[in-house]
PDB file of all heavy atoms in Angstrom:
ATOM      1  N   GLY A   1      -1.108   1.684   9.428  1.00  0.00           N
ATOM      2  CA  GLY A   1      -0.403   1.893   8.166  1.00  0.00           C
ATOM      3  C   GLY A   1      -1.183   1.390   6.972  1.00  0.00           C
ATOM      4  O   GLY A   1      -1.231   2.052   5.922  1.00  0.00           O
ATOM      5  N   LEU A   2      -1.803   0.225   7.112  1.00  0.00           N
ATOM      6  CA  LEU A   2      -2.607  -0.315   6.016  1.00  0.00           C
ATOM      7  C   LEU A   2      -3.820   0.566   5.754  1.00  0.00           C
ATOM      8  O   LEU A   2      -4.164   0.841   4.591  1.00  0.00           O
ATOM      9  CB  LEU A   2      -3.048  -1.740   6.339  1.00  0.00           C
ATOM     10  CG  LEU A   2      -3.958  -2.419   5.310  1.00  0.00           C
ATOM     11  CD1 LEU A   2      -3.324  -2.434   3.925  1.00  0.00           C
ATOM     12  CD2 LEU A   2      -4.304  -3.835   5.767  1.00  0.00           C
ATOM     13  N   ALA A   3      -4.470   1.039   6.817  1.00  0.00           N
ATOM     14  CA  ALA A   3      -5.621   1.933   6.647  1.00  0.00           C
ATOM     15  C   ALA A   3      -5.215   3.216   5.937  1.00  0.00           C
ATOM     16  O   ALA A   3      -5.953   3.736   5.085  1.00  0.00           O
ATOM     17  CB  ALA A   3      -6.252   2.245   8.006  1.00  0.00           C
ATOM     18  N   VAL A   4      -4.035   3.737   6.268  1.00  0.00           N
ATOM     19  CA  VAL A   4      -3.538   4.950   5.612  1.00  0.00           C
ATOM     20  C   VAL A   4      -3.268   4.670   4.134  1.00  0.00           C
ATOM     21  O   VAL A   4      -3.633   5.465   3.255  1.00  0.00           O
ATOM     22  CB  VAL A   4      -2.264   5.461   6.314  1.00  0.00           C
ATOM     23  CG1 VAL A   4      -1.602   6.563   5.505  1.00  0.00           C
ATOM     24  CG2 VAL A   4      -2.606   5.965   7.712  1.00  0.00           C
ATOM     25  N   ALA A   5      -2.638   3.541   3.841  1.00  0.00           N
ATOM     26  CA  ALA A   5      -2.383   3.173   2.446  1.00  0.00           C
ATOM     27  C   ALA A   5      -3.687   3.054   1.666  1.00  0.00           C
ATOM     28  O   ALA A   5      -3.795   3.524   0.524  1.00  0.00           O
ATOM     29  CB  ALA A   5      -1.599   1.864   2.389  1.00  0.00           C
ATOM     30  N   GLU A   6      -4.679   2.443   2.267  1.00  0.00           N
ATOM     31  CA  GLU A   6      -5.980   2.296   1.615  1.00  0.00           C
ATOM     32  C   GLU A   6      -6.616   3.654   1.337  1.00  0.00           C
ATOM     33  O   GLU A   6      -7.199   3.865   0.265  1.00  0.00           O
ATOM     34  CB  GLU A   6      -6.906   1.443   2.487  1.00  0.00           C
ATOM     35  CG  GLU A   6      -6.494  -0.015   2.570  1.00  0.00           C
ATOM     36  CD  GLU A   6      -7.282  -0.794   3.615  1.00  0.00           C
ATOM     37  OE1 GLU A   6      -7.842  -0.168   4.541  1.00  0.00           O
ATOM     38  OE2 GLU A   6      -7.311  -2.033   3.528  1.00  0.00           O
ATOM     39  N   ALA A   7      -6.509   4.571   2.292  1.00  0.00           N
ATOM     40  CA  ALA A   7      -7.135   5.888   2.145  1.00  0.00           C
ATOM     41  C   ALA A   7      -6.503   6.690   1.018  1.00  0.00           C
ATOM     42  O   ALA A   7      -7.204   7.305   0.200  1.00  0.00           O
ATOM     43  CB  ALA A   7      -7.040   6.655   3.469  1.00  0.00           C
ATOM     44  N   PHE A   8      -5.174   6.697   0.949  1.00  0.00           N
ATOM     45  CA  PHE A   8      -4.509   7.442  -0.123  1.00  0.00           C
ATOM     46  C   PHE A   8      -4.718   6.763  -1.474  1.00  0.00           C
ATOM     47  O   PHE A   8      -4.884   7.439  -2.502  1.00  0.00           O
ATOM     48  CB  PHE A   8      -3.024   7.624   0.182  1.00  0.00           C
ATOM     49  CG  PHE A   8      -2.738   8.740   1.143  1.00  0.00           C
ATOM     50  CD1 PHE A   8      -2.555   8.489   2.492  1.00  0.00           C
ATOM     51  CD2 PHE A   8      -2.665  10.053   0.705  1.00  0.00           C
ATOM     52  CE1 PHE A   8      -2.295   9.514   3.386  1.00  0.00           C
ATOM     53  CE2 PHE A   8      -2.404  11.095   1.581  1.00  0.00           C
ATOM     54  CZ  PHE A   8      -2.224  10.827   2.935  1.00  0.00           C
ATOM     55  N   SER A   9      -4.727   5.445  -1.500  1.00  0.00           N
ATOM     56  CA  SER A   9      -5.014   4.723  -2.735  1.00  0.00           C
ATOM     57  C   SER A   9      -6.396   5.080  -3.261  1.00  0.00           C
ATOM     58  O   SER A   9      -6.583   5.278  -4.474  1.00  0.00           O
ATOM     59  CB  SER A   9      -4.915   3.214  -2.498  1.00  0.00           C
ATOM     60  OG  SER A   9      -5.375   2.490  -3.616  1.00  0.00           O
ATOM     61  N   ALA A  10      -7.372   5.176  -2.360  1.00  0.00           N
ATOM     62  CA  ALA A  10      -8.742   5.511  -2.763  1.00  0.00           C
ATOM     63  C   ALA A  10      -8.841   6.912  -3.358  1.00  0.00           C
ATOM     64  O   ALA A  10      -9.777   7.211  -4.114  1.00  0.00           O
ATOM     65  CB  ALA A  10      -9.685   5.381  -1.565  1.00  0.00           C
ATOM     66  N   LYS A  11      -7.874   7.776  -3.025  1.00  0.00           N
ATOM     67  CA  LYS A  11      -7.830   9.129  -3.588  1.00  0.00           C
ATOM     68  C   LYS A  11      -7.139   9.161  -4.957  1.00  0.00           C
ATOM     69  O   LYS A  11      -7.019  10.216  -5.566  1.00  0.00           O
ATOM     70  CB  LYS A  11      -7.103  10.071  -2.626  1.00  0.00           C
ATOM     71  CG  LYS A  11      -7.868  10.365  -1.345  1.00  0.00           C
ATOM     72  CD  LYS A  11      -9.098  11.205  -1.615  1.00  0.00           C
ATOM     73  CE  LYS A  11      -9.792  11.617  -0.328  1.00  0.00           C
ATOM     74  NZ  LYS A  11     -11.023  12.398  -0.592  1.00  0.00           N
ATOM     75  N   GLY A  12      -6.655   8.020  -5.398  1.00  0.00           N
ATOM     76  CA  GLY A  12      -5.974   7.965  -6.685  1.00  0.00           C
ATOM     77  C   GLY A  12      -4.486   8.202  -6.621  1.00  0.00           C
ATOM     78  O   GLY A  12      -3.835   8.379  -7.664  1.00  0.00           O
ATOM     79  N   ASP A  13      -3.918   8.196  -5.406  1.00  0.00           N
ATOM     80  CA  ASP A  13      -2.489   8.433  -5.256  1.00  0.00           C
ATOM     81  C   ASP A  13      -1.693   7.151  -5.487  1.00  0.00           C
ATOM     82  O   ASP A  13      -2.196   6.040  -5.312  1.00  0.00           O
ATOM     83  CB  ASP A  13      -2.187   8.961  -3.851  1.00  0.00           C
ATOM     84  CG  ASP A  13      -2.790  10.333  -3.609  1.00  0.00           C
ATOM     85  OD1 ASP A  13      -2.746  11.167  -4.535  1.00  0.00           O
ATOM     86  OD2 ASP A  13      -3.319  10.576  -2.510  1.00  0.00           O
ATOM     87  N   ARG A  14      -0.425   7.329  -5.861  1.00  0.00           N
ATOM     88  CA  ARG A  14       0.501   6.206  -5.923  1.00  0.00           C
ATOM     89  C   ARG A  14       1.081   6.025  -4.533  1.00  0.00           C
ATOM     90  O   ARG A  14       1.693   6.943  -3.991  1.00  0.00           O
ATOM     91  CB  ARG A  14       1.619   6.465  -6.931  1.00  0.00           C
ATOM     92  CG  ARG A  14       2.649   5.338  -6.988  1.00  0.00           C
ATOM     93  CD  ARG A  14       3.633   5.518  -8.097  1.00  0.00           C
ATOM     94  NE  ARG A  14       2.985   5.375  -9.403  1.00  0.00           N
ATOM     95  CZ  ARG A  14       2.690   4.204  -9.971  1.00  0.00           C
ATOM     96  NH1 ARG A  14       2.950   3.073  -9.338  1.00  0.00           N
ATOM     97  NH2 ARG A  14       2.136   4.171 -11.165  1.00  0.00           N
ATOM     98  N   VAL A  15       0.885   4.859  -3.951  1.00  0.00           N
ATOM     99  CA  VAL A  15       1.305   4.603  -2.580  1.00  0.00           C
ATOM    100  C   VAL A  15       2.425   3.575  -2.572  1.00  0.00           C
ATOM    101  O   VAL A  15       2.267   2.466  -3.087  1.00  0.00           O
ATOM    102  CB  VAL A  15       0.128   4.099  -1.717  1.00  0.00           C
ATOM    103  CG1 VAL A  15       0.594   3.842  -0.286  1.00  0.00           C
ATOM    104  CG2 VAL A  15      -1.026   5.101  -1.729  1.00  0.00           C
ATOM    105  N   VAL A  16       3.549   3.955  -1.981  1.00  0.00           N
ATOM    106  CA  VAL A  16       4.660   3.034  -1.780  1.00  0.00           C
ATOM    107  C   VAL A  16       4.666   2.658  -0.304  1.00  0.00           C
ATOM    108  O   VAL A  16       4.919   3.500   0.565  1.00  0.00           O
ATOM    109  CB  VAL A  16       6.001   3.668  -2.181  1.00  0.00           C
ATOM    110  CG1 VAL A  16       7.142   2.691  -1.951  1.00  0.00           C
ATOM    111  CG2 VAL A  16       5.959   4.125  -3.640  1.00  0.00           C
ATOM    112  N   GLY A  17       4.337   1.396  -0.022  1.00  0.00           N
ATOM    113  CA  GLY A  17       4.244   0.936   1.352  1.00  0.00           C
ATOM    114  C   GLY A  17       5.484   0.178   1.770  1.00  0.00           C
ATOM    115  O   GLY A  17       5.907  -0.761   1.090  1.00  0.00           O
ATOM    116  N   LEU A  18       6.092   0.586   2.875  1.00  0.00           N
ATOM    117  CA  LEU A  18       7.278  -0.077   3.400  1.00  0.00           C
ATOM    118  C   LEU A  18       6.917  -0.877   4.645  1.00  0.00           C
ATOM    119  O   LEU A  18       6.137  -0.420   5.483  1.00  0.00           O
ATOM    120  CB  LEU A  18       8.358   0.938   3.763  1.00  0.00           C
ATOM    121  CG  LEU A  18       8.704   2.032   2.747  1.00  0.00           C
ATOM    122  CD1 LEU A  18       9.882   2.851   3.256  1.00  0.00           C
ATOM    123  CD2 LEU A  18       8.988   1.449   1.385  1.00  0.00           C
ATOM    124  N   ASP A  19       7.488  -2.055   4.770  1.00  0.00           N
ATOM    125  CA  ASP A  19       7.261  -2.871   5.959  1.00  0.00           C
ATOM    126  C   ASP A  19       8.288  -3.998   5.963  1.00  0.00           C
ATOM    127  O   ASP A  19       8.838  -4.357   4.918  1.00  0.00           O
ATOM    128  CB  ASP A  19       5.844  -3.459   5.968  1.00  0.00           C
ATOM    129  CG  ASP A  19       5.328  -3.721   7.375  1.00  0.00           C
ATOM    130  OD1 ASP A  19       5.817  -4.666   8.026  1.00  0.00           O
ATOM    131  OD2 ASP A  19       4.446  -2.966   7.838  1.00  0.00           O
ATOM    132  N   VAL A  20       8.527  -4.569   7.146  1.00  0.00           N
ATOM    133  CA  VAL A  20       9.415  -5.731   7.231  1.00  0.00           C
ATOM    134  C   VAL A  20       8.670  -7.026   6.928  1.00  0.00           C
ATOM    135  O   VAL A  20       9.294  -8.055   6.698  1.00  0.00           O
ATOM    136  CB  VAL A  20      10.074  -5.826   8.628  1.00  0.00           C
ATOM    137  CG1 VAL A  20      11.015  -4.658   8.863  1.00  0.00           C
ATOM    138  CG2 VAL A  20       9.030  -5.907   9.732  1.00  0.00           C
ATOM    139  N   ASP A  21       7.348  -6.980   6.936  1.00  0.00           N
ATOM    140  CA  ASP A  21       6.518  -8.171   6.714  1.00  0.00           C
ATOM    141  C   ASP A  21       6.205  -8.310   5.224  1.00  0.00           C
ATOM    142  O   ASP A  21       5.197  -7.796   4.732  1.00  0.00           O
ATOM    143  CB  ASP A  21       5.239  -8.071   7.536  1.00  0.00           C
ATOM    144  CG  ASP A  21       4.430  -9.354   7.557  1.00  0.00           C
ATOM    145  OD1 ASP A  21       4.634 -10.189   6.652  1.00  0.00           O
ATOM    146  OD2 ASP A  21       3.596  -9.526   8.463  1.00  0.00           O
ATOM    147  N   GLY A  22       7.065  -9.008   4.516  1.00  0.00           N
ATOM    148  CA  GLY A  22       6.882  -9.144   3.081  1.00  0.00           C
ATOM    149  C   GLY A  22       5.631  -9.904   2.702  1.00  0.00           C
ATOM    150  O   GLY A  22       4.957  -9.560   1.723  1.00  0.00           O
ATOM    151  N   ALA A  23       5.280 -10.924   3.463  1.00  0.00           N
ATOM    152  CA  ALA A  23       4.085 -11.713   3.145  1.00  0.00           C
ATOM    153  C   ALA A  23       2.831 -10.863   3.239  1.00  0.00           C
ATOM    154  O   ALA A  23       1.945 -10.936   2.377  1.00  0.00           O
ATOM    155  CB  ALA A  23       3.985 -12.916   4.078  1.00  0.00           C
ATOM    156  N   ALA A  24       2.745 -10.043   4.282  1.00  0.00           N
ATOM    157  CA  ALA A  24       1.575  -9.170   4.437  1.00  0.00           C
ATOM    158  C   ALA A  24       1.528  -8.116   3.340  1.00  0.00           C
ATOM    159  O   ALA A  24       0.455  -7.787   2.831  1.00  0.00           O
ATOM    160  CB  ALA A  24       1.585  -8.511   5.817  1.00  0.00           C
ATOM    161  N   LEU A  25       2.684  -7.578   2.971  1.00  0.00           N
ATOM    162  CA  LEU A  25       2.729  -6.605   1.877  1.00  0.00           C
ATOM    163  C   LEU A  25       2.246  -7.226   0.574  1.00  0.00           C
ATOM    164  O   LEU A  25       1.478  -6.615  -0.183  1.00  0.00           O
ATOM    165  CB  LEU A  25       4.154  -6.080   1.680  1.00  0.00           C
ATOM    166  CG  LEU A  25       4.674  -4.986   2.604  1.00  0.00           C
ATOM    167  CD1 LEU A  25       6.109  -4.656   2.245  1.00  0.00           C
ATOM    168  CD2 LEU A  25       3.811  -3.733   2.548  1.00  0.00           C
ATOM    169  N   ASN A  26       2.679  -8.449   0.299  1.00  0.00           N
ATOM    170  CA  ASN A  26       2.308  -9.115  -0.946  1.00  0.00           C
ATOM    171  C   ASN A  26       0.816  -9.402  -1.024  1.00  0.00           C
ATOM    172  O   ASN A  26       0.265  -9.562  -2.122  1.00  0.00           O
ATOM    173  CB  ASN A  26       3.094 -10.421  -1.105  1.00  0.00           C
ATOM    174  CG  ASN A  26       4.559 -10.175  -1.407  1.00  0.00           C
ATOM    175  OD1 ASN A  26       4.930  -9.132  -1.923  1.00  0.00           O
ATOM    176  ND2 ASN A  26       5.409 -11.135  -1.061  1.00  0.00           N
ATOM    177  N   ALA A  27       0.159  -9.469   0.130  1.00  0.00           N
ATOM    178  CA  ALA A  27      -1.275  -9.758   0.154  1.00  0.00           C
ATOM    179  C   ALA A  27      -2.128  -8.514  -0.094  1.00  0.00           C
ATOM    180  O   ALA A  27      -3.344  -8.619  -0.267  1.00  0.00           O
ATOM    181  CB  ALA A  27      -1.655 -10.375   1.499  1.00  0.00           C
ATOM    182  N   ILE A  28      -1.501  -7.334  -0.119  1.00  0.00           N
ATOM    183  CA  ILE A  28      -2.248  -6.090  -0.314  1.00  0.00           C
ATOM    184  C   ILE A  28      -2.530  -5.888  -1.798  1.00  0.00           C
ATOM    185  O   ILE A  28      -1.616  -5.898  -2.617  1.00  0.00           O
ATOM    186  CB  ILE A  28      -1.464  -4.890   0.256  1.00  0.00           C
ATOM    187  CG1 ILE A  28      -1.270  -5.056   1.762  1.00  0.00           C
ATOM    188  CG2 ILE A  28      -2.184  -3.577  -0.044  1.00  0.00           C
ATOM    189  CD1 ILE A  28      -0.339  -4.019   2.377  1.00  0.00           C
ATOM    190  N   ASP A  29      -3.793  -5.692  -2.118  1.00  0.00           N
ATOM    191  CA  ASP A  29      -4.204  -5.475  -3.508  1.00  0.00           C
ATOM    192  C   ASP A  29      -4.982  -4.171  -3.589  1.00  0.00           C
ATOM    193  O   ASP A  29      -6.192  -4.126  -3.374  1.00  0.00           O
ATOM    194  CB  ASP A  29      -5.076  -6.648  -3.975  1.00  0.00           C
ATOM    195  CG  ASP A  29      -5.475  -6.518  -5.448  1.00  0.00           C
ATOM    196  OD1 ASP A  29      -4.853  -5.709  -6.156  1.00  0.00           O
ATOM    197  OD2 ASP A  29      -6.424  -7.220  -5.868  1.00  0.00           O
ATOM    198  N   LEU A  30      -4.247  -3.091  -3.855  1.00  0.00           N
ATOM    199  CA  LEU A  30      -4.843  -1.761  -3.923  1.00  0.00           C
ATOM    200  C   LEU A  30      -4.399  -1.083  -5.211  1.00  0.00           C
ATOM    201  O   LEU A  30      -3.258  -1.238  -5.635  1.00  0.00           O
ATOM    202  CB  LEU A  30      -4.384  -0.896  -2.736  1.00  0.00           C
ATOM    203  CG  LEU A  30      -4.795  -1.313  -1.332  1.00  0.00           C
ATOM    204  CD1 LEU A  30      -4.049  -0.468  -0.305  1.00  0.00           C
ATOM    205  CD2 LEU A  30      -6.304  -1.168  -1.144  1.00  0.00           C
ATOM    206  N   PRO A  31      -5.267  -0.291  -5.827  1.00  0.00           N
ATOM    207  CA  PRO A  31      -4.847   0.459  -7.021  1.00  0.00           C
ATOM    208  C   PRO A  31      -3.676   1.381  -6.711  1.00  0.00           C
ATOM    209  O   PRO A  31      -3.696   2.100  -5.711  1.00  0.00           O
ATOM    210  CB  PRO A  31      -6.104   1.267  -7.381  1.00  0.00           C
ATOM    211  CG  PRO A  31      -7.234   0.530  -6.750  1.00  0.00           C
ATOM    212  CD  PRO A  31      -6.687  -0.070  -5.488  1.00  0.00           C
ATOM    213  N   GLY A  32      -2.654   1.338  -7.539  1.00  0.00           N
ATOM    214  CA  GLY A  32      -1.518   2.231  -7.373  1.00  0.00           C
ATOM    215  C   GLY A  32      -0.617   1.918  -6.204  1.00  0.00           C
ATOM    216  O   GLY A  32       0.228   2.737  -5.833  1.00  0.00           O
ATOM    217  N   PHE A  33      -0.758   0.715  -5.609  1.00  0.00           N
ATOM    218  CA  PHE A  33       0.044   0.370  -4.427  1.00  0.00           C
ATOM    219  C   PHE A  33       1.245  -0.468  -4.821  1.00  0.00           C
ATOM    220  O   PHE A  33       1.141  -1.404  -5.615  1.00  0.00           O
ATOM    221  CB  PHE A  33      -0.784  -0.406  -3.405  1.00  0.00           C
ATOM    222  CG  PHE A  33       0.002  -0.808  -2.177  1.00  0.00           C
ATOM    223  CD1 PHE A  33       0.163   0.072  -1.131  1.00  0.00           C
ATOM    224  CD2 PHE A  33       0.585  -2.074  -2.085  1.00  0.00           C
ATOM    225  CE1 PHE A  33       0.899  -0.287  -0.002  1.00  0.00           C
ATOM    226  CE2 PHE A  33       1.310  -2.444  -0.967  1.00  0.00           C
ATOM    227  CZ  PHE A  33       1.469  -1.553   0.082  1.00  0.00           C
ATOM    228  N   GLU A  34       2.386  -0.116  -4.239  1.00  0.00           N
ATOM    229  CA  GLU A  34       3.611  -0.889  -4.420  1.00  0.00           C
ATOM    230  C   GLU A  34       4.199  -1.176  -3.046  1.00  0.00           C
ATOM    231  O   GLU A  34       4.450  -0.261  -2.263  1.00  0.00           O
ATOM    232  CB  GLU A  34       4.611  -0.079  -5.254  1.00  0.00           C
ATOM    233  CG  GLU A  34       5.987  -0.711  -5.358  1.00  0.00           C
ATOM    234  CD  GLU A  34       7.007   0.213  -6.005  1.00  0.00           C
ATOM    235  OE1 GLU A  34       6.625   1.340  -6.408  1.00  0.00           O
ATOM    236  OE2 GLU A  34       8.172  -0.183  -6.096  1.00  0.00           O
ATOM    237  N   GLY A  35       4.407  -2.444  -2.727  1.00  0.00           N
ATOM    238  CA  GLY A  35       4.988  -2.817  -1.446  1.00  0.00           C
ATOM    239  C   GLY A  35       6.476  -3.075  -1.570  1.00  0.00           C
ATOM    240  O   GLY A  35       6.927  -3.735  -2.509  1.00  0.00           O
ATOM    241  N   ILE A  36       7.244  -2.550  -0.638  1.00  0.00           N
ATOM    242  CA  ILE A  36       8.695  -2.758  -0.608  1.00  0.00           C
ATOM    243  C   ILE A  36       9.078  -3.233   0.786  1.00  0.00           C
ATOM    244  O   ILE A  36       8.779  -2.565   1.784  1.00  0.00           O
ATOM    245  CB  ILE A  36       9.468  -1.477  -0.946  1.00  0.00           C
ATOM    246  CG1 ILE A  36       9.122  -0.991  -2.364  1.00  0.00           C
ATOM    247  CG2 ILE A  36      10.964  -1.696  -0.813  1.00  0.00           C
ATOM    248  CD1 ILE A  36       9.786   0.319  -2.745  1.00  0.00           C
TER     249      ILE A  36
END
């Protein structure tokens, strides 16, 4: 899932990432990425 988020982010897309692991989501720093 993280690799997929990275790939779409690299294409300039807005990525909304869902996961139960809030700490891991908060550690993601990608352009256009929003963790929920």
Side-chain angles (χ1 to χ4, degrees):
L2 177 56
V4 170
E6 291 171 339
F8 280 97
S9 171
K11 290 291 186 182
D13 294 320
R14 178 173 293 280
V15 180
V16 180
L18 312 185
D19 208 288
V20 294
D21 190 340
L25 280 179
N26 289 336
I28 298 172
D29 183 15
L30 295 171
F33 179 84
E34 173 189 358
I36 299 177

